Amino acid sequence: MSAILRLALLGCGEHSKGSHAAPMARYAAEHPNEIELVAACDLNLARANEFCQQFGFARAYNDAETMLNTEQVDGCVCVMPMEQIVNSAVMLLERGVPCVIEKPLGISAVEAERLARVAGETRTPHMVSVNRRFMSYMNQAISWSREVGTLQYIRATQVRHNRAEPDFIWSTAIHVLDALRYIGGEVTDFSTEMRTHPELSAQWYVITLRFESGATGRIEVLPTAGMVEESYELFGEAFRVRLVAGSGIQRSLQCWRDGQLEVNEEASSAEPEELRNGGYAEVVEFVRALRAGRQPRPSVEDILPSARICFAIAESVAQQTEAKA
């Protein structure tokens, strides 16, 4: 690996722009002797060229194989449509290219297991992009709660507007479920209550988790509730934490102990989005892990239990729907 890491971006869609390209550009500007943005690739070459102009990637490509055969790439951030995630990630892993893989881990449990198997066999350094694990308020909340006591109960609510797609539970709700695993540790058991109603355009879910620590978790997934917000609450003897992790500046953290508010913070509109949404911290983890010669975190193996639970819930819904039909 070269002294300066040569990084490429595979996929130049809207999500890639704010969550990956912008934080990569920030890191390159702030650490010019650490990374070089050598290439951006998209089937739409004009879009790849736009990323070069806007974020400082050196060259544009519309074919991944051509890019990888032409450039000396030390790492690649892969942001593909869901149905292409696994094939693209497997290609990078089998070529030995360290990579960042967007969630979800494929569009089925079979695909997720295949990705985990290839990652284990190749041992290519990689990490999964699950940005909640990198949000500063999230990590501050976890650190504060661990200092004051033992977590007994964790609650999360994921609210969205007009998100009636049937894959929501495994394509998007995996974010909040994985965040609860990140907070509470490994899950020993789970159960799901599904909410249906003639006035609801999508399935709503209430998921109960039981953790190895003995704590209990509850997730409310409400994909068509008319607004966008994601909140987390951590409870223990004489303390409570509330974290709002929505879009834009809709982020805040409050920590109470013994009836007193000890922490009260709110995101500022002056802070760049990539610093608030965890995207920049992901780049920091990826770059520093590669420079140190260690496996970045979280890996596919780390996220696989979250994917398994989400796909199991989806399968249960499908079976119940079929039975009713």
Side-chain angles (χ1 to χ4, degrees):
M1 190 172 292
S2 57
I4 298 180
L5 296 181
R6 297 166 58 86
L7 301 184
L9 178 65
L10 180 55
C12 301
E14 192 61 31
H15 177 70
S16 182
K17 179 181 294 185
S19 296
H20 297 284
M24 291 172 75
R26 175 174 292 276
Y27 194 97
E30 294 181 356
H31 305 83
N33 296 320
E34 290 190 22
I35 71 169
E36 179 184 354
L37 305 182
V38 297
C41 180
D42 194 275
L43 290 175
N44 185 334
L45 186 59
R47 197 155 53 187
N49 273 307
E50 289 176 8
F51 269 51
C52 291
Q53 295 170 11
Q54 184 173 357
F55 300 109
F57 292 91
R59 287 165 290 281
Y61 293 84
N62 64 355
D63 179 74
E65 292 284 349
T66 301
M67 178 184 74
L68 294 172
N69 289 334
T70 304
E71 303 286 350
Q72 179 188 338
V73 175
D74 299 316
C76 183
V77 177
C78 184
V79 193
M80 305 299 290
M82 291 189 299
E83 62 275 9
Q84 299 176 30
I85 286 174
V86 170
N87 285 340
S88 299
V90 165
M91 179 268 294
L92 293 168
L93 293 168
E94 290 183 340
R95 291 181 70 125
V97 178
C99 52
V100 175
I101 305 166
E102 255 293 347
K103 63 83 194 167
L105 304 183
I107 60 173
S108 69
V110 171
E111 281 205 341
E113 299 293 343
R114 176 194 173 208
L115 180 58
R117 183 176 65 254
V118 172
E121 289 172 352
T122 62
R123 302 181 68 83
T124 301
H126 67 278
M127 66 182 288
V128 179
S129 177
V130 279
N131 66 308
R132 275 59 166 181
R133 292 183 177 225
F134 291 91
M135 287 182 172
S136 59
Y137 282 167
M138 176 70 75
N139 287 294
Q140 188 177 343
I142 294 171
S143 177
W144 186 91
S145 66
R146 287 176 178 170
E147 290 178 0
V148 301
T150 301
L151 276 177
Q152 301 293 337
Y153 186 75
I154 315 165
R155 180 170 63 209
T157 303
Q158 186 177 50
V159 184
R160 292 293 186 269
H161 172 56
N162 197 28
R163 295 292 300 276
E165 62 267 29
D167 58 40
F168 188 89
I169 190 64
W170 54 260
S171 65
T172 301
I174 187 174
H175 264 311
V176 68
L177 192 144
D178 184 72
L180 253 67
R181 283 188 56 241
Y182 181 56
I183 296 167
E186 293 308 314
V187 174
T188 59
D189 191 21
F190 70 93
S191 59
T192 307
E193 174 188 346
M194 285 159 286
R195 171 69 176 167
T196 58
H197 190 275
E199 293 183 2
L200 290 178
S201 58
Q203 191 86 49
W204 289 14
Y205 306 84
V206 177
I207 305 166
T208 301
L209 306 174
R210 286 161 284 278
F211 297 96
E212 287 182 353
S213 66
T216 299
R218 182 68 60 88
I219 305 173
E220 299 156 346
V221 180
L222 317 175
T224 59
M227 57 94 72
V228 178
E229 183 181 274
E230 201 168 294
S231 61
Y232 300 85
E233 294 178 279
L234 289 63
F235 300 89
E237 179 65 24
F239 75 87
R240 178 200 181 192
V241 176
R242 186 170 193 270
L243 163 71
V244 177
S247 300
I249 62 171
Q250 189 188 12
R251 296 192 178 98
S252 60
L253 175 66
Q254 289 84 37
C255 303
W256 291 265
R257 175 163 46 174
D258 293 324
Q260 301 297 317
L261 181 61
E262 291 193 0
V263 178
N264 187 16
E265 298 185 14
E266 187 170 334
S268 166
S269 59
E271 186 178 28
E273 174 63 10
E274 63 266 19
L275 299 182
R276 295 192 301 263
N277 67 15
Y280 183 75
E282 279 191 346
V283 175
V284 171
E285 166 63 14
F286 186 56
V287 170
R288 293 185 178 175
L290 295 188
R291 292 180 64 84
R294 63 173 176 83
Q295 166 65 44
R297 299 293 299 271
S299 66
V300 170
E301 183 180 7
D302 295 326
I303 306 304
L304 185 60
S306 302
R308 284 171 172 162
I309 293 173
C310 289
F311 282 124
I313 293 171
E315 177 64 22
S316 176
V317 172
Q319 290 175 355
Q320 291 186 36
T321 302
E322 185 177 338
K324 289 179 181 179

